[in-house]
Amino acid sequence: MARPAPGPRQASAAARPAAVAGPALAAALVCRLLVLAADPYLAATAELHGVLYHRAGPLIGLLVRAGLCARVPLRAASWAATTNQTEGVRS
């Protein structure tokens, strides 16, 4: 007995993990680059400033980094959600 040809839902479901891997890898790389970029900033803040900046600088740096890292998965998820969709079809 011959197996029926995959319909549009089955074909897109099979390609979905591969389509999500690209945005997920990009998000992981961007987060890693943000961590690497934050280290010199936090080290320079700790060495250059007095007591107030010594305590407030890393906090502000971490808040900025948290904001950037929060945007990366959001953009990656939206990128992955719109990958491999036919033109005009949005879910």
Side-chain angles (χ1 to χ4, degrees):
M1 181 174 235
R3 192 171 181 197
R9 285 188 154 249
Q10 292 173 345
S12 66
R16 196 74 177 150
V20 174
L25 181 61
L29 289 174
V30 169
C31 280
R32 183 63 186 151
L33 289 174
L34 286 173
V35 168
L36 292 174
D39 285 341
Y41 169 75
L42 294 174
T45 301
E47 292 175 7
L48 294 177
H49 299 293
V51 175
L52 177 63
Y53 292 125
H54 179 71
R55 293 189 180 155
L59 177 63
I60 292 170
L62 290 175
L63 288 172
V64 169
R65 178 175 164 241
L68 291 173
C69 282
R71 289 180 188 191
V72 170
L74 179 66
R75 301 241 170 126
S78 64
W79 181 17
T82 57
T83 304
N84 284 344
Q85 286 188 352
T86 58
E87 195 64 34
V89 177
R90 300 277 188 244
S91 55

